[in-house]
Structures are given as C-alpha cells and as structure tokens.
C-alpha cells in the first residue's frame, strides 16, 4: 500500500476487546494497525469470552505507528454505519470493519459498490442492529417493584426484562434515561443491565428472566390501552409479526390479548364501518338534528372545500329513499339534492316510470361537493372510499330516522355508503339486497353516467336504467300496497 509505513514482519496480532460493544477501543487500535501497515489477514479481533487465534501472538505487544505515518482515511458513510455495525453479535464484525477500513485507504469509494460482499454484509449488520434497537424502544415493559430507600421508607422502582439479539443495551441507555427521566428503573437483559436512579446511570452484569418481576397492577392499563387502539381495519398479520415477533410477546402484558383481537378483527371491522367509528348513542335521531350535525361536521377533507352541507329532503316517513353520490355544483349553490342536470334526468325517468319524487326521500352518500377548481368552473371529483365511509354515519342516521322500506342506490359510491364495501354494479343491479333492518336495497347507475354517453351506448344504458326503475316501482308496490312511489 502506498503512502503507508513500510510493512513490518509477518507477525500475526491478536486484539482482545474489554467489551463486546467497545467501538472506540476498536477504532483506536484499528487506526494504529493500519498506520503500521498490518494487513487484515494478520490481525484477529477477540471479544470477551471469544476464542483467540491459535496462530496469533496474543502476548505480543501491538506495534506503534511511526511518527511519519499518514492519517487514516475513511468516509462519512463508513463511520455512520460502523459504530452501529460494531454492536452486532456476529463474532467476525470487527474483522469485517477492519477489512473495509483497510480497503478505504487505497479505494476511498469502496463503500459505493453495493454489489461488494463486504459492503453488503456491513450494511446488513447495521440494519439488523437498528432493527433490534427499534424493538427495544418499542417493547420494553416496566413492572412496578416496591423497595425501601435509605430511610427504610417504601419507594417505587420499575424493572423491565428484555432479550436483545445484539449488544445494544449500553448504546440505548440514553434513550430510556431521557424518556423516563423522573422514574427509578432497571432494564435487565442476558447481555447486561442498566439502572437509573433519577441522577446516575449504572451498569450491571447479565441477568436471568427469573430476576425480573412477573407482573404488576399497571399491566391492566397496558391491556386496556392496547385493546382500545387496536384497529381491526388495518390488521395485517404478516406485517404485525414482522414488526412484533412472537419472541417479544412473553414480556408484553398486552400480547395476551392479540389472539382474541385477531380472531374478532373481521367482525369488529364490519362494526367500525357500520358505525362510522362513532358511538351509536351519539347518533342524532331526527332529520333536523342530523341536518345541523352534518353542517357542523369536519371529519373528512371534503368538508373543508368551502362548500355547504347539502342535506336530504323529502317526507320523514317515505317508503322509498333514493341515494346519490354527492351534491354537484348546482346542488351546492341551491342547498338541495338532485337539482342539476343529473337531477333533471332522474326526474324525467322517475316520472316516466310512475314514481313520484315528492313522495321519496332523496339524499346523497356524501354531504359536501368535492371538486377541483378549473378557472371559473368547479369540476366534480369522485370521493375516496375513506370519505364515503366517514360520511356513512350521516346516511345511516337518515335511514334510521326515515325507515324506508326500499332504498335505491344510484351508482357505486352510493352502494358503498349503504353496504360499507365496494360492489360491482353489473353484479348487483336488478336484484334486491336485504339490509340489516329488513329493508331492501336496489342498485342502479347514476344519472350523471348517462349524461356522459351518446349514441347507441346512451340508448342502451338509459334502457337499463328505466328497467331498474320499473323493477323498483313494482317491488315498492308489493312492499307498500297503494304506494304512489
């Protein structure tokens, strides 16, 4: 190697570390060995408890760098990863670090080669240690232990048991000291222990699981908290096990709830969608109360578009409820549902079929107009599923207040607002779907869809729409004899 001291004899050196996580010790000795031109194959790095090299000179003093030795070159990226990688449990980690540091002397860009086996291994060590530290931050659970102070008075002390994969305990002591600065606590692990008394951090020897307490009254709080924040709608078991492996469950009081929470996730998700994530006791009961609540609602971004809330209209005891997607530009200006071009087309078809609109309750799945501004025009935007599900609370409140015998959903968004899930219009149109309260749901196309067509396609779809309305008219007559709608 150029620009380094002349090679010494072929002596093999052994460097014994006092601690398995002592990066500073490794760095200082690695720097000196490189300045003495000691190649990676001539040095062994031995951590406490590790076996030395049979051919290494364990009792031979390490060489001292000559006065004229050049500074050791490194890179910011290497140093940012090396300290973390040194905490890995791989017994060859320090040899890998030294080998890469040696290579950087002749090739300063060696760390940029992602295909290099040493670089890949180096990055894997760093990633594994960072993941282990993340698990420690997330899964340490303190349990309360009563102890006596110097005056023999009782005081609180919190003890946690954790099983790290790597030598991360000392490196993460500062995190817990800052987070739990006002507590007296200890974290016991098979790799060492740390203790904080509110002022001084102390280190202790490795511990066993039996040294840690098995439980305390605080655990019920953990279980209640975890149960309340568990979201069945976002449950992905594979991802959950990746982020919270089962090896940590035995030390986490809330983990005992996981099997039952997973088992009931599907039914809980359905209930969340059905109830809109709210308490049923808070649902307004009358149409005027619903109208006021809808006006005040800011539970989704659509309500912040600067438009007014458009409530449904019609008899409070209507046998037929007609549900569209959302108010449009004209509906927003008028404050009434279905008064624009789509509403006029709907009126034409209702009249042709013999359904009296004034006898039906007409509303929308979404109560505000979602649009994008294009010059002076406001262009309709289709609501997202989350927005439909959020507004479903108000649609369900209207349905409970009106109690219709038959509900006609115009389009896929309206169907989702009533069913809590997306359905295919082709698969469900033309046949009744029984809702939980015993009423029937019929699904057809939205009139705005017909307005976008022309020619033969328009004629075909208008015929299907008329057929659907005729089927609704006939069915409504069977459900409510003598009905005008």
């Amino acid at each position: 190697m150029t620009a380094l001291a002349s090679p010494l004899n072929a002596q093999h050196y052994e460097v014994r570390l006092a601690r398995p996580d002592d990066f500073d010790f490794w760095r200082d000795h690695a720097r000196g060995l490189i300045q003495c031109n000691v190649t990676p194959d001539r040095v062994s790095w031995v951590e406490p408890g590790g076996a030395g090299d049979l051919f290494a000179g364990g009792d031979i003093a390490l060489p001292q760098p000559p006065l004229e030795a050049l500074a050791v070159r490194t890179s910011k990226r290497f140093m940012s990863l090396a300290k973390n990688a040194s905490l890995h449990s791989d017994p060859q980690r320090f040899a890998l670090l030294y080998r890469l540091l040696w290579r950087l002397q002749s090739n300063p860009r060696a760390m940029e080669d992602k295909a290099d086996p040493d670089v890949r291994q180096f990055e894997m060590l760093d990633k594994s240690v960072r993941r282990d530290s993340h698990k420690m931050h997330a899964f340490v659970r303190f349990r309360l232990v009563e102890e006596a102070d110097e005056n023999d008075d009782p005081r609180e002390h919190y003890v946690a048991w954790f099983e790290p994969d790597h030598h991360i305990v000392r490196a993460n002591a500062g995190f817990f000291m800052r987070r739990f600065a006002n507590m007296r606590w200890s974290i016991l692990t098979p790799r060492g222990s740390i203790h904080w008394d509110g002022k001084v951090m102390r280190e202790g020897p490795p511990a066993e699981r039996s040294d840690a307490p098995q439980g305390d009254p605080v655990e019920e709080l953990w279980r209640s908290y975890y149960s309340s924040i568990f979201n069945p709608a976002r449950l992905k078991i594979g991802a959950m096990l990746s982020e919270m492996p089962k090896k940590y469950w035995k030390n986490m009081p809330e983990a005992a709830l996981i099997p039952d929470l997973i088992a009931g996730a599907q039914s809980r998700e359905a209930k969340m969608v059905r109830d809109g994530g709210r308490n049923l006791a808070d649902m307004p009961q009358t149409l005027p109360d619903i109208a006021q609540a809808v006006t005040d609602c800011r539970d989704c971004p659509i309500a912040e578009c600067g438009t007014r809330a458009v409530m449904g209209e019609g008899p409070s005891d209507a046998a037929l409820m007609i549900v569209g997607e959302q108010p449009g530009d004209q509906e927003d200006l008028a404050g009434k549902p279905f008064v624009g071009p789509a509403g006029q087309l709907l009126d034409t078809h209702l009249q042709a079929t013999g359904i009296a609109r004034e006898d039906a309750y007409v509303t929308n799945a979404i109560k505000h107009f979602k649009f994008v501004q294009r010059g002076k025009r406001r262009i309709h935007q289709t609501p997202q599923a989350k927005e439909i599900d959020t507004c479903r609370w108000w649609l369900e409140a209207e349905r409970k207040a009106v109690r219709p015998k038959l509900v006609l959903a115009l389009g896929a968004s309206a169907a989702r607002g009533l069913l809590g899930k997306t359905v295919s219009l082709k698969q469900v149109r033309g046949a009744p779907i029984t809702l939980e309260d015993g009423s029937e749901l019929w699904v057809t196309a939205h009139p705005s869809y017909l307005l976008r067509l022309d020619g033969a396609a328009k004629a075909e779809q208008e015929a299907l729409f008329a057929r659907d309305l005729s089927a609704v008219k006939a069915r409504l007559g069977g459900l409510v004899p003598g009905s005008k709608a």
Side-chain angles (χ1 to χ4, degrees):
M1 296 176 59
T2 60
L4 290 174
S6 300
L8 300 177
N9 57 40
Q11 178 63 54
H12 194 117
Y13 297 95
E14 185 176 274
V15 183
R16 290 188 172 272
L17 290 90
R19 294 177 177 272
D21 60 350
D22 199 338
F23 174 76
D24 293 338
F25 179 93
W26 172 86
R27 181 190 57 196
D28 293 343
H29 285 73
R31 181 186 295 120
L33 289 168
I34 283 182
Q35 289 179 323
C36 291
N37 207 10
V38 177
T39 57
D41 61 306
R42 292 169 48 213
V43 58
S44 298
W45 302 89
V46 184
E47 60 183 301
D53 194 316
L54 291 176
F55 302 100
D59 297 328
I60 298 178
L62 298 180
Q64 295 299 313
L67 295 177
E68 68 275 13
L70 298 180
V72 175
R73 291 188 296 187
T74 184
S75 68
K76 291 182 178 179
R77 185 164 184 273
F78 175 83
M79 293 304 296
S80 68
L81 272 64
K83 189 168 186 178
N84 224 30
S86 69
L87 304 179
H88 201 277
S89 56
D90 186 345
Q92 299 302 316
R93 63 192 180 281
F94 290 112
L96 173 65
L97 267 60
Y98 186 73
R99 189 161 62 248
L100 279 170
L101 184 60
W102 172 270
R103 293 173 56 189
L104 285 171
Q105 307 315 301
S106 58
N107 180 13
R109 303 183 66 179
M111 290 295 299
E112 298 177 16
D113 185 359
K114 299 292 186 179
D116 184 274
D118 282 348
V119 175
R120 290 205 310 269
Q121 176 70 4
F122 182 61
E123 292 179 340
M124 185 279 292
L125 298 185
D126 166 70
K127 182 178 179 180
S128 183
V129 169
R130 284 190 289 107
R131 181 177 177 82
D132 203 28
S133 293
H134 170 72
K135 301 305 182 194
M136 185 173 183
H137 295 174
F139 301 143
V140 160
R141 295 291 183 267
F142 289 104
R143 291 174 165 90
L144 178 62
V145 175
E146 294 288 348
E147 65 176 18
D149 63 12
E150 57 275 7
N151 297 319
D152 206 29
D153 294 325
R155 65 182 177 187
E156 294 182 343
H157 189 115
Y158 293 86
V159 180
W161 171 257
F162 186 72
E163 300 174 30
D165 293 327
H166 307 297
H167 305 287
I168 63 170
V169 179
R170 289 205 308 157
N172 286 281
F175 170 85
F176 290 96
M177 181 181 69
R178 293 186 296 271
R179 188 169 185 179
F180 303 104
N182 298 322
M183 286 171 44
R184 297 175 58 86
W185 53 261
S186 298
I187 299 178
L188 312 180
T189 86
R191 297 180 182 274
S193 305
I194 48 177
H195 309 274
W196 172 252
D197 64 4
K199 296 179 181 179
V200 178
M201 180 73 70
R202 295 181 296 106
E203 297 179 35
E208 296 181 358
R209 180 69 182 87
S210 59
D211 296 329
Q214 300 300 309
D216 67 42
V218 177
E219 293 193 358
E220 188 58 37
L221 295 178
W222 271 113
R223 285 188 282 269
S224 298
Y225 170 73
Y226 188 77
S227 180
S228 67
I229 67 170
F230 183 83
N231 186 349
R234 301 183 65 182
L235 174 63
K236 295 182 179 180
I237 297 176
M240 184 189 73
L241 290 176
S242 175
E243 288 301 313
M244 189 169 64
K246 285 189 175 181
K247 64 169 285 187
Y248 300 105
W249 290 18
K250 58 182 178 292
N251 301 319
M252 300 168 60
E254 67 272 29
L257 301 173
I258 293 176
D260 289 340
L261 290 173
I262 291 176
Q266 189 172 15
S267 60
R268 289 187 65 198
E269 179 184 6
K271 186 178 186 302
M272 284 176 62
V273 173
R274 184 169 62 251
D275 298 345
R278 300 176 174 90
N279 189 337
L280 286 174
D282 298 331
M283 179 177 281
Q285 302 299 309
T286 67
L287 292 177
D289 289 343
I290 297 169
Q292 182 59 54
V294 167
T295 300
D296 297 338
C297 179
R298 294 297 182 270
D299 287 350
C300 80
I302 300 180
E304 304 297 337
C305 289
T307 60
R308 73 168 76 187
V310 178
M311 182 65 178
E313 66 173 6
S316 60
D317 60 350
L320 172 65
M321 174 183 280
I322 301 175
V323 182
E325 180 193 80
Q326 65 170 324
D329 181 73
Q330 296 300 313
E331 287 79 10
D332 175 60
L333 295 175
K336 293 178 176 294
F338 281 98
V339 296
Q344 295 169 16
L345 182 59
L346 174 63
D347 288 345
T348 298
H349 279 274
L350 289 175
Q351 185 176 8
T353 309
I355 298 177
R357 171 169 167 165
E358 62 270 19
D359 291 332
Y361 184 86
V362 183
T363 189
N364 283 293
I366 298 291
K367 306 307 182 188
H368 288 81
F369 177 35
K370 183 178 181 180
F371 66 92
V372 60
Q373 193 77 39
R374 299 274 176 81
K376 295 182 178 180
R377 298 181 62 197
R378 298 189 299 176
I379 306 301
H380 161 276
Q381 282 193 313
T382 302
Q384 298 177 358
K386 183 177 180 180
E387 294 163 342
I388 298 172
D389 293 343
T390 300
C391 217
R392 186 167 188 256
W393 173 255
W394 306 122
L395 181 58
E396 283 296 290
E398 288 178 288
R399 200 161 67 84
K400 287 180 181 295
V402 177
R403 297 184 180 279
K405 299 292 185 179
L406 190 150
V407 183
L408 175 62
L410 304 177
S413 294
R416 182 181 179 92
L418 290 155
L419 294 171
K421 62 181 180 180
T422 300
V423 294
S424 168
L425 181 61
K426 290 183 179 180
Q427 293 179 354
V428 299
R429 74 183 302 174
I433 300 172
T434 303
L435 299 176
E436 288 187 356
D437 63 354
S439 62
E440 287 186 4
L441 170 65
W442 290 66
V443 183
T444 188
H446 196 284
S448 62
Y449 170 65
L450 306 180
L451 292 173
R452 297 193 295 270
L453 302 175
D454 54 27
K458 182 179 181 68
E460 178 185 358
Q461 291 301 318
E462 284 198 335
L464 289 174
F465 188 67
R467 185 197 66 184
D468 290 342
L469 292 186
S470 295
V472 166
K473 167 66 175 177
R475 181 57 181 156
L476 191 61
L479 293 173
V480 186
S483 172
K484 297 180 182 179

